Amino acid sequence: MTRFNVGGKVVDKVDLMRKKKLAWRFDVWPFSILYALWLATVVPSLDFGDATIVLGGVVALHILVWLFTAWSVDFNCFVHYSKVNDIHQADACKVTPAKFSGSKEVVPLHFRKLPGGSLSSSNMEEIYFDFRKQRYIFSNEKENFCKLPYPTKETMGYYLKCTGHGSEAKVVAATEKWGRNLFEYPQPTFQKLMKENCMQPFFVFQVFCVGLWCLDEYWYYSLFTLFMLFMFESTMAKSQLKTLTELRRVRVDSQTLMVHRCGKWIKLSGTDLLPGDVVSLGRSSGPTGEDRTVPADMLLLAGSAIVNEAILTGESTPQWKVSVMSRGADEKLSAKRDKSHVLFGGTKILQHTPDKGFPLKTPDAGCVAVVLRTGFETSQGKLMRTILFSTERVTANSWESGLFILFLVVFAVIAAGYVLKKGLEDPTRSKYKLFLSCSLIITSVIPPELPMELSIAVNTSLIALARRGIFCTEPFRIPFAGKVDICCFDKTGTLTSDDMEFCGVVGLAGSTDLEPDMSKVDSRTLEILASCHALVFVDNKLVGDPLEKAALKGIDWSFKSDDKAMPKKGTGSAVQIIQRHHFASYLKRMAVVVRIEESFYAFVKGAPETIQGRLTEVPSNYVETYKKFTRQGSRVLALAYKSIGDMTVSEARSLDRDVVESGLTFAGFAVFNCPIRADSATVLSELKGSSHDLVMITGDQALTACHVATQVHILSKPALILGPKRNSVDYEWISPDETEMIPYNENEVETLSETHDLCIGGDCIEMLQRTSAVIRVIPFVKVYARVAPEQKELILTTFKTVGRITLMCGDGTNDVGALKQAHVGVALLNAVPPAKSTKTDEGTKSARKKSKSALDGADKSASLNGVVSASNQRNQRLTPAELQRQKITSLQKKLLDELNEEGDGHAAPIVKLGDASMASPFTAKHASVAPTTDIIRQGRSTLVTTLQMFKILGLNCLATAYVLSVMYLDGVKLGDMQATISGVFTAAFFLFISHARPLQTLSAERPHPNIFCAYVFLSLLGQFAIHLLFLISSVNEAEKHMPEECIEPDSEFHPNLVNTVSYMVSMMLQVATFAVNYMGHPFNQSISENKPFLYALVSAVGFFTVITSDVFRNLNDSLKLVPLPLGLRDKLLTWAVLMYLSCYSWERFLRWAFPGKVPSWKKRQRLAAKSLEQKKNV
C-alpha cells in the first residue's frame, strides 16, 4: 500500500517514499541532456551572445526547478523520491497534515529492532516516523500508522495495581519507546534562519528583478537594492531567533522526585520520568521559594492535592484533585471525564494531603501518582506544540490568492506575447532588449508584496487584540471571525456573573415559599450546606466554587482548615468531613460522608431532577417548587441526606459512591441568584443586530436557562421546551409556564422554529441521537440546557455540518471540547480587562514588547509594505531604470526605519504560556463577553482589508500590463523623477490603507467572505474598462497636438507631450484606484476618519492638479514635463473628474446590488437530512 489514511487530528495521510539515486533525479538527468544538447547544437550554430542567452535560459530553469523542490513538498517528492508499495523498501514518508495543521513535510522513516523482552510487538521490529514532536508507529494489525500509545486508557484497577517499572530492562525498553521527559526544540542558528528567509519565493523574486535590472546596465542601484534586501532579511532572522529562544525557556522542571522503580524508592530527576513510573509527589519549592511545577501528566492514586492550573487553562481558581480510589476497578480512564484525578504537567501543587492507608508507602509523605504522558504529549507539551506549529499559518484566503495571481498572470502573458509578436515583426529591434521587456512585463504584473499584504491584515488584528488582553494561538482563525454567523454562549460564569447570591431555602414542611431567615431552617439542612462542598484552605485562604462560598456565608457558618464546619453563633454541632465524592458534570451531583458527634451521615446535593430519583420519598410539591424558582432564573440545588449507622472512620471512607448517594431523605432546595453580567445584554443585542444568530449552551436547568436567555436577547419569541410526556414514552414541546403543549414531530421542527424559540435538554439530545434526528432538530434550537461537555461538542459539530461558521464563548474548564470544535473558540478567564489602549509611551512600549514575531508567515514585516508596494504600481514605469529607481527611494526610507527600530508593531505578537489557554484558539482575560465583539470586529476588518488589497493590486496589475506592452511599443517612456514621485505616493497609500481601524459598532451588513464572487469581478472589469478608455483617449488626444516625429522604442528618454499626458493620467488613475476601492464604513474607518490616508490622497490630488495646471513651471521642468496646450489641459482635468465619478458610481452600485449575505444554511441542512434519510433506508 502506497498511501495510509491516518485521519488523526494532526496527521491526515502518509505516503511511502524512497529516495532516488542521484543520477535518476529529475533535477539531474533532464538537465544533463539539455546542457549536452546546448554544447552539441547551439554553440556551433549561433553567435556567442545568442548562445549565452540560451544557456542563461537553461540555467535559470535549472535553478527554478531546484528552488521549487524547496518551496513545494509535492514537487520535491516528484523530483527526489519515488513512491513504493512495500513499507520495508521505503526510507521516508510524505506526511499530509489535517486541515489547518500546517503544511506537508517529508520525514525519514525509521526501523528499530525491539529488545527481546518487549511485549509491544511480536515481530521484534518497530517502524515509525516523527512528525511535529509526535511519534507515529506502524501497526501490523491495523495496517496503518497510529500515534505512539501511552498508558492513558486503562482501567482504574490496572492503575491502582501499578508499582512502577519492575526491572532495569523494562526501564531501558520504556526509555527507547517514549524517550526522555523533555521539551527538546532545537535552537536554529542565525545562518539557518537566514538561509530559510533567503529561499522564500518573495525574496528570490526580488533578486530575480534585480538581476533583470543588472542586465539593463543599472549596476549601482541594483547592487544597493540587493544589499538593502539582505539587511532586511537579517533583521527578520534576528527577531525570529529571539522569539524561538523565548519559547525554549519553557522546560520540564528538573526537580528531584522519589520514584518507585525495581521494587524500591529512588531519587530521580523530573526529566527522567517515564510513562508507567509511580511517583511520590507533593508541594515543593525551588531555590527561589517559588512553587515547583508538576513534571508530567499523572494520575493520582492516593492522597489529594490542590493545584493551580492557570498556565494551561488560564483559570485562576485552584482545582481540587482527588485519587481514583473511590472509582470502580473496571471503569476505564477517560481524558475528558476524569480531569479531577489527573495532575497536568506544568501546573503547580499548592497543597497536598497524603493517604497513609495506601499499600505503597511513600518515604517523603507525598501523594502517590502514576505517570501517564511525558514530553510533548503532556497537556503543556500540547499547548507548546500549538504555539510552535501554528506559527506558519498567518494568512487570509491562501488558495484564493494563488488563483488570483493566476488570473493576473494570464493578462501578463497576453501582454508579453503581444510585445514579443510585434517586436519580432521589426527586424531592426534588439532581440536581447525584447526578451528583457517581456520578462519585465511578467514580473511587474505579479505583485511580490501580496503574501505580505495578507499577513499584515492578520497581524494588525493580532496586535490590536493582544492590546485588549485577547490572545490567539491560531492566527488563521481571525478571517473566520469575520465570517461567523452563529454565536454560542455558555451561561454560568460567561453570560452570568461568578458572584452568586445565596437567597435562602425552600421546600421544607411542604411550603413553596422561600425562607431567607436561616434561624428558621432545619439544622440538618444547614449542616448539608456547611459541609457538602469542595472548599479548601490554601495558604490560610478559603478557595473554591463561588456558589459554595456564597452558601457558607449565607448560613453564617465557618469552615476550618481541618475540614470541620461549625456555626459562628448558636449551639449547633460541629460537622467533620470524612470523605468527599466530588462533583462530576456527567453525574450532576456531589456527596460527602460526615461525622456529627459520634454519628455518620451521607450528605448529597445536586440537580433537582437527579436527586429526585435517589429519594426514598419525594414530596408531592417537589417538581412544582423547584420549577417555580428556575422560571425566575434562579439556580436551584436539591439537598438530601441519610444516616449511615455505626462504623469506623476507615469503613466510612471506603463506602462505595452509589451506596452513599442512594436511599436519601429530602432536606429542601437551596436557591441561589446568579446575576447577569452588566454588559451581557448589550453585547448580545449588538451581535444580534449585526446579523448573527445567538444560542445558549449550558449545564443549567432548562427553565433557568430560558429565563436568562430572554433577558440577554437570545429568546425573543414564545419559548417551548422539549420534554417527555407524563406517563408516556413520547415527547412534547411545553411552554415554560406549561400552558401550551405541542406534540413533538422531528419533521415539523423547522416550521415550529419560525413561530417559537426552541429549547431542549441533554436527555432529549440522547433521544435525538437514538432516533438519528440530530440534524433535523439541533440546527433550529436556541437554548440547550443540562448538556454534558460531550453534547456541547456534538451541537457545535452539527452546526458545522449544516454549513454554519460558529463562535463559541465559554470558560476554559468545562467547555474545552466545544471551544476546540468551533471555528472561533473564545475562552474567558476571570481577570481584569486591560485598559483600552491609549497612545501613551508606556502603551507603545508594551505593544512593542508583544510584537516580536513568532510567526513564520508573518516574517515579512509591513515596513517593507511600502517598499514593494511601489513595485506593484509599475504602470508609471516603462524602463528598468524607473522600475528600480522607484523601488529604491521607498526601500531606503522604509528599511532604514526598520533597521533603526525593532518591533515595528507589524509583526504578530508572540503568545506566551499563561496568556494562552489549552482550551481554545482565543483566550480573553476579561470577566465579560465583550471580547467576542472585538474578535468579530477584527475578523471583519481583516476580510475587508484583504478584499480591497486584492482589488487595488488587481487593477494596478491590469493597467501595468497595458502600459508596459501597448504603450511601450509606441515608444512612451517615463523619466526617473516621475517614477520616483509616483512610487512615493503608492508606498504611502499602501502603508496607510492597511492601518484603517475597525469601527466600534458592528454593522448589520456583512463583508463578502470570498474574493471570487460576482461583485469583485464586475468591479474589477468595470473599473479597468473606464481606466483603459481614459488612458487611450488621453494619449490619442495628445498625439493630435504632437508634431510628426518617430519615437524609437529602445531609445533614451526625452520629454514630449505623449509622455507628459501618460504620466499625468497614470497618476490620476493611481489616486482613483485607491480612493474608489477603499472599503470604509460600515466595517472600517472612512477615508475622512483615516487621517494619514486622507492627507496622502489630498496631497496627491493637489500635486497632479498643480502639475497639470502648469502653475510652477520650474517644478514641471524638473519632472521633465512639457507644457500642455490649454484645450488639452482642461479636457484632462474634466476627464479625470468624470473617470473618478464613473468608477465611484460603478463601485457604489455594485456594493448596493451585491451586499454580503448570511450564508443560506437551511438548504444545506435539508440536503444533509435527506442524505441521512437515504442512508437509513439503505
Side-chain angles (χ1 to χ4, degrees):
M1 188 191 280
T2 314
R3 169 171 285 189
F4 299 98
N5 289 309
V6 179
K9 284 183 180 174
V10 178
V11 173
D12 185 32
K13 298 185 194 78
V14 175
D15 294 295
L16 297 177
M17 312 300 258
R18 183 175 184 79
K19 213 167 178 61
K20 291 177 181 172
K21 288 193 169 65
L22 185 69
W24 295 109
R25 284 173 21 178
F26 280 115
D27 57 352
V28 176
W29 68 264
F31 288 97
S32 308
I33 295 167
L34 283 175
Y35 291 128
L37 281 171
W38 177 78
L39 268 174
T41 59
V42 177
V43 174
S45 59
L46 294 177
D47 60 40
F48 178 74
D50 289 348
T52 310
I53 289 176
V54 173
L55 178 65
V58 174
V59 170
L61 183 66
H62 200 167
I63 291 171
L64 204 61
V65 167
W66 176 72
L67 283 169
F68 262 101
T69 59
W71 296 339
S72 164
V73 173
D74 289 325
F75 189 75
N76 182 28
C77 291
F78 171 71
V79 171
H80 292 163
Y81 295 87
S82 51
K83 288 191 175 185
V84 290
N85 286 324
D86 183 3
I87 196 165
H88 291 92
Q89 290 176 351
D91 56 14
C93 301
K94 180 176 82 173
V95 181
T96 307
K99 199 176 180 188
F100 296 128
S101 296
S103 47
K104 296 176 184 177
E105 273 180 48
V106 176
V107 292
L109 192 65
H110 302 280
F111 296 82
R112 181 169 75 94
K113 286 274 180 282
L114 291 169
S118 171
L119 302 172
S120 60
S121 180
S122 51
N123 62 358
M124 312 307 283
E125 183 183 51
E126 188 174 76
I127 305 169
Y128 67 92
F129 67 84
D130 293 316
F131 177 71
R132 303 258 167 98
K133 305 292 171 197
Q134 285 185 305
R135 182 161 289 182
Y136 289 82
I137 292 180
F138 184 71
S139 158
N140 287 312
E141 295 87 52
K142 294 179 183 171
E143 290 195 342
N144 204 342
F145 283 97
C146 307
K147 257 172 72 176
L148 174 66
Y150 280 76
T152 56
K153 291 178 181 171
E154 307 297 335
T155 61
M156 299 298 179
Y158 167 88
Y159 293 117
L160 288 165
K161 285 176 191 157
C162 276
T163 54
H165 296 288
S167 64
E168 205 55 51
K170 283 185 178 177
V171 172
V172 171
T175 309
E176 279 196 13
K177 182 175 181 180
W178 288 300
R180 292 188 69 208
N181 180 28
L182 294 170
F183 291 143
E184 288 177 309
Y185 188 71
Q187 173 75 41
T189 58
F190 175 77
Q191 290 81 354
K192 190 182 171 204
L193 284 174
M194 191 66 194
K195 184 187 163 194
E196 274 179 24
N197 284 358
C198 292
M199 291 279 284
Q200 296 291 330
F202 160 74
F203 185 81
V204 172
F205 185 66
Q206 288 286 50
V207 172
F208 178 61
C209 290
V210 170
L212 289 177
W213 309 334
C214 283
L215 292 176
D216 217 6
E217 297 166 10
Y218 292 97
W219 294 99
Y220 171 76
Y221 285 125
S222 302
L223 292 173
F224 184 72
T225 305
L226 205 58
F227 168 73
M228 290 305 285
L229 280 170
F230 272 106
M231 287 296 286
F232 176 73
E233 291 299 339
S234 61
T235 55
M236 290 312 304
K238 201 173 98 187
S239 79
Q240 265 179 290
L241 203 62
K242 252 186 188 174
T243 291
L244 293 167
T245 311
E246 178 83 24
L247 272 178
R248 288 185 85 240
R249 285 191 191 144
V250 180
R251 304 165 178 248
V252 171
D253 208 321
S254 56
Q255 60 183 314
T256 307
L257 297 160
M258 296 304 289
V259 181
H260 196 260
R261 273 191 190 171
C262 308
K264 61 181 186 290
W265 289 99
I266 56 167
K267 282 187 177 179
L268 211 63
S269 165
T271 52
D272 292 323
L273 289 180
L274 295 164
D277 268 333
V278 170
V279 181
S280 172
L281 208 62
R283 181 177 186 175
S284 57
S285 54
T288 57
E290 193 181 319
D291 288 331
R292 285 278 177 82
T293 58
V294 178
D297 287 0
M298 306 183 187
L299 184 70
L300 208 51
L301 301 182
S304 64
I306 311 297
V307 182
N308 177 2
E309 292 187 346
I311 196 150
L312 295 186
T313 61
E315 195 55 56
S316 52
T317 307
Q319 304 295 311
W320 192 313
K321 302 289 178 175
V322 292
S323 79
V324 293
M325 297 272 284
S326 58
R327 301 294 295 274
D330 297 329
E331 280 186 69
K332 281 206 167 183
L333 179 68
S334 156
K336 288 177 184 171
R337 192 187 61 202
D338 297 320
K339 284 182 183 166
S340 62
H341 304 305
V342 178
L343 297 165
F344 294 107
T347 60
K348 292 179 179 178
I349 296 181
L350 303 178
Q351 192 171 301
H352 76 282
T353 312
D355 182 354
K356 298 187 176 74
F358 193 68
L360 194 62
K361 299 284 185 282
T362 60
D364 57 355
C367 299
V368 181
V370 61
V371 178
L372 298 176
R373 290 180 293 252
T374 54
F376 275 102
E377 281 300 318
T378 62
S379 294
Q380 187 183 14
K382 201 172 171 187
L383 187 56
M384 284 280 292
R385 281 206 319 268
T386 306
I387 293 172
L388 280 171
F389 298 117
S390 67
T391 54
E392 65 206 66
R393 311 182 217 152
V394 185
T395 175
N397 308 328
S398 50
W399 66 272
E400 290 190 324
S401 57
L403 281 175
F404 193 76
I405 287 175
L406 205 64
F407 168 70
L408 296 179
V409 167
V410 172
F411 279 90
V413 169
I414 293 168
Y418 177 74
V419 168
L420 192 63
K421 179 176 173 291
K422 288 284 185 187
L424 290 173
E425 287 170 6
D426 182 357
T428 59
R429 290 194 99 155
S430 157
K431 303 278 188 295
Y432 168 70
K433 286 267 174 132
L434 189 63
F435 283 114
L436 196 57
S437 303
C438 292
S439 308
L440 284 168
I441 289 170
I442 292 175
T443 55
S444 68
V445 170
I446 301 166
E449 70 276 27
L450 185 63
M452 209 171 50
E453 297 289 3
L454 297 185
S455 61
I456 287 166
V458 174
N459 287 344
T460 309
S461 295
L462 281 177
I463 294 158
L465 290 173
R467 283 176 185 161
R468 297 184 80 110
I470 303 164
F471 299 94
C472 176
T473 53
E474 297 176 9
F476 71 91
R477 291 187 185 268
I478 284 183
F480 275 120
K483 302 177 189 180
V484 164
D485 63 322
I486 184 162
C487 303
C488 311
F489 293 91
D490 176 38
K491 182 182 83 71
T492 314
T494 303
L495 293 171
T496 59
S497 160
D498 274 342
D499 306 323
M500 295 281 186
E501 297 166 8
F502 177 65
C503 302
V505 177
V506 70
L508 294 170
S511 166
T512 59
D513 295 327
L514 187 70
E515 181 52 77
D517 184 358
M518 290 302 109
S519 60
K520 296 177 185 172
V521 173
D522 185 56
S523 61
R524 189 66 73 233
T525 304
L526 296 177
E527 286 161 5
I528 297 172
L529 286 168
S531 59
C532 190
H533 54 66
L535 297 175
V536 68
F537 273 88
V538 175
D539 299 333
N540 295 322
K541 192 179 171 195
L542 193 65
V543 296
D545 188 336
L547 179 135
E548 294 174 336
K549 281 194 201 168
L552 202 63
K553 186 181 171 189
I555 60 172
D556 205 23
W557 277 52
S558 63
F559 183 67
K560 300 282 183 278
S561 54
D562 58 355
D563 280 354
K564 193 179 272 186
M566 51 179 52
K568 287 182 180 174
K569 301 171 189 161
T571 55
S573 309
V575 182
Q576 177 71 52
I577 300 171
I578 305 295
Q579 175 73 12
R580 279 184 171 104
H581 294 284
H582 284 266
F583 175 81
S585 56
Y586 65 100
L587 293 174
K588 300 190 182 78
R589 61 179 184 270
M590 81 162 284
V592 288
V593 176
V594 300
R595 184 169 64 186
I596 301 171
E597 290 163 351
E598 291 307 308
S599 307
F600 288 95
Y601 294 92
F603 288 168
V604 184
K605 73 173 181 193
E609 56 269 40
T610 308
I611 302 297
Q612 188 177 356
R614 296 184 167 266
L615 298 175
T616 48
E617 189 184 333
V618 180
S620 58
N621 60 351
Y622 184 92
V623 176
E624 180 198 334
T625 306
Y626 83 74
K627 280 192 175 177
K628 175 184 169 182
F629 288 92
T630 51
R631 277 192 199 106
Q632 295 165 16
S634 298
R635 182 103 179 260
V636 180
L637 290 178
L639 311 175
Y641 70 96
K642 75 170 178 182
S643 173
I644 299 176
D646 291 336
M647 58 177 68
T648 62
V649 171
S650 60
E651 282 173 338
R653 279 212 174 108
S654 57
L655 278 174
D656 193 52
R657 181 163 189 165
D658 255 2
V659 173
V660 171
E661 294 175 347
S662 58
L664 304 169
T665 306
F666 179 62
F669 295 111
V671 180
F672 296 86
N673 187 18
C674 190
I676 293 169
R677 289 195 198 276
D679 61 350
S680 290
T682 49
V683 170
L684 267 67
S685 178
E686 186 181 354
L687 286 172
K688 197 167 191 174
S690 55
S691 315
H692 294 95
D693 285 340
L694 304 179
V695 159
M696 182 191 283
I697 307 175
T698 177
D700 215 333
Q701 216 268 347
L703 291 165
T704 308
C706 284
H707 178 81
V708 174
T710 308
Q711 287 184 299
V712 295
H713 310 293
I714 292 176
L715 301 185
S716 50
K717 293 181 272 197
L720 288 177
I721 302 167
L722 185 63
K725 275 187 183 174
R726 281 176 197 160
N727 312 319
S728 167
V729 289
D730 296 330
Y731 283 75
E732 63 180 352
W733 296 102
I734 312 166
S735 61
D737 58 4
E738 298 184 12
T739 54
E740 189 178 1
M741 294 181 188
I742 300 169
Y744 161 73
N745 181 339
E746 65 182 60
N747 298 316
E748 291 169 8
V749 173
E750 186 178 345
T751 319
L752 193 63
S753 69
E754 288 165 13
T755 54
H756 292 78
D757 283 328
L758 309 179
C759 166
I760 62 172
D763 51 346
C764 297
I765 294 176
E766 286 172 19
M767 177 273 292
L768 295 176
Q769 284 174 288
R770 285 196 303 273
T771 57
S772 304
V774 169
I775 204 103
R776 290 183 182 281
V777 179
I778 281 183
F780 300 101
V781 175
K782 285 291 185 77
V783 175
Y784 304 86
R786 284 278 187 254
V787 283
E790 291 80 20
Q791 291 173 328
K792 287 187 181 184
E793 241 177 291
L794 173 76
I795 293 164
L796 265 298
T797 46
T798 308
F799 280 139
K800 283 162 77 180
T801 309
V802 300
R804 307 211 71 172
I805 307 286
T806 54
L807 177 143
M808 172 73 199
C809 181
D811 62 61
T813 41
N814 306 327
D815 306 322
V816 180
L819 290 168
K820 282 283 185 197
Q821 275 299 335
H823 292 101
V824 179
V826 187
L828 297 183
L829 313 179
N830 289 323
V832 180
K836 297 206 173 158
S837 59
T838 52
K839 291 188 179 177
T840 59
D841 292 349
E842 204 173 314
T844 319
K845 277 180 201 161
S846 67
R848 285 210 182 120
K849 276 180 195 164
K850 279 177 183 163
S851 67
K852 300 285 184 273
S853 164
L855 309 172
D856 295 345
D859 297 352
K860 313 295 179 205
S861 156
S863 26
L864 222 151
N865 167 17
V867 179
V868 238
S869 316
S871 70
N872 101 54
Q873 265 286 354
R874 294 188 198 149
N875 52 340
Q876 294 80 18
R877 271 162 294 166
L878 291 155
T879 69
E882 289 91 42
L883 188 73
Q884 46 75 31
R885 170 70 70 90
Q886 175 187 332
K887 278 194 158 189
I888 283 146
T889 312
S890 36
L891 249 173
Q892 289 167 312
K893 188 174 180 306
K894 287 280 163 286
L895 293 186
L896 288 170
D897 284 354
E898 167 68 24
L899 294 173
N900 293 337
E901 185 180 314
E902 273 191 319
D904 51 8
H906 294 301
I910 167 76
V911 179
K912 295 185 177 68
L913 283 166
D915 282 343
S917 160
M918 65 177 182
S920 77
F922 291 91
T923 307
K925 298 202 162 184
H926 295 235
S928 139
V929 288
T932 53
T933 55
D934 285 335
I935 292 166
I936 289 173
R937 245 203 324 272
Q938 291 296 346
R940 286 184 169 190
S941 178
T942 303
L943 271 185
V944 164
T945 306
T946 307
L947 197 67
Q948 75 191 9
M949 294 279 188
F950 273 114
K951 285 176 67 187
I952 291 166
L953 291 170
L955 280 168
N956 288 344
C957 292
L958 292 174
T960 306
Y962 176 77
V963 171
L964 282 181
S965 53
V966 179
M967 294 179 73
Y968 178 75
L969 288 172
D970 293 340
V972 180
K973 292 179 176 163
L974 299 186
D976 276 2
M977 190 65 177
Q978 295 172 357
T980 306
I981 292 220
S982 67
V984 167
F985 277 122
T986 313
F989 287 153
F990 262 117
L991 198 64
F992 301 140
I993 208 170
S994 62
H995 282 258
R997 293 207 184 102
L999 293 181
Q1000 279 304 308
T1001 49
L1002 285 171
S1003 79
E1005 261 184 71
R1006 298 179 66 84
H1008 287 275
N1010 304 312
I1011 298 156
F1012 290 96
C1013 59
Y1015 159 68
V1016 175
F1017 271 103
L1018 289 172
S1019 176
L1020 278 181
L1021 296 175
Q1023 287 184 65
F1024 180 54
I1026 296 166
H1027 288 186
L1028 212 52
L1029 180 68
F1030 180 39
L1031 198 55
I1032 294 167
S1033 309
S1034 305
V1035 172
N1036 287 346
E1037 192 68 25
E1039 281 173 351
K1040 288 180 192 169
H1041 293 270
M1042 255 185 90
E1044 287 296 319
E1045 60 174 279
C1046 181
I1047 302 170
E1048 287 294 324
D1050 294 324
S1051 64
E1052 292 299 310
F1053 167 79
H1054 65 270
N1056 60 48
L1057 192 59
V1058 171
N1059 155 259
T1060 301
V1061 168
S1062 64
Y1063 174 65
M1064 289 173 177
V1065 168
S1066 57
M1067 278 288 287
M1068 293 167 187
L1069 291 178
Q1070 178 186 343
V1071 175
T1073 301
F1074 279 94
V1076 168
N1077 292 289
Y1078 178 84
M1079 296 261 208
H1081 287 195
F1083 307 111
N1084 286 343
Q1085 291 173 316
S1086 64
I1087 292 180
S1088 57
E1089 289 162 336
N1090 186 354
K1091 291 288 188 277
F1093 183 58
L1094 175 68
Y1095 298 148
L1097 274 181
V1098 170
S1099 55
V1101 171
F1103 176 76
F1104 82 66
T1105 308
V1106 166
I1107 60 171
T1108 311
S1109 309
D1110 207 4
V1111 179
F1112 304 109
R1113 185 65 252 159
N1114 290 346
L1115 173 65
N1116 284 22
D1117 285 344
S1118 66
L1119 288 172
K1120 306 272 175 55
L1121 298 173
V1122 299
L1124 296 181
L1126 204 59
L1128 181 60
R1129 186 179 71 193
D1130 295 342
K1131 263 186 185 175
L1132 269 189
L1133 287 172
T1134 312
W1135 286 356
V1137 173
L1138 283 174
M1139 175 271 299
Y1140 173 75
L1141 290 174
S1142 309
C1143 288
Y1144 183 80
S1145 308
W1146 177 244
E1147 175 66 14
R1148 290 286 144 187
F1149 167 71
L1150 288 176
R1151 285 190 200 175
W1152 170 81
F1154 299 98
K1157 290 189 183 114
V1158 178
S1160 53
W1161 58 273
K1162 288 189 179 179
K1163 189 177 174 187
R1164 195 158 163 184
Q1165 183 269 337
R1166 287 185 200 114
L1167 286 172
K1170 202 173 178 182
S1171 65
L1172 195 74
E1173 195 66 43
Q1174 285 166 352
K1175 279 180 196 167
K1176 265 164 65 178
N1177 294 339
V1178 169

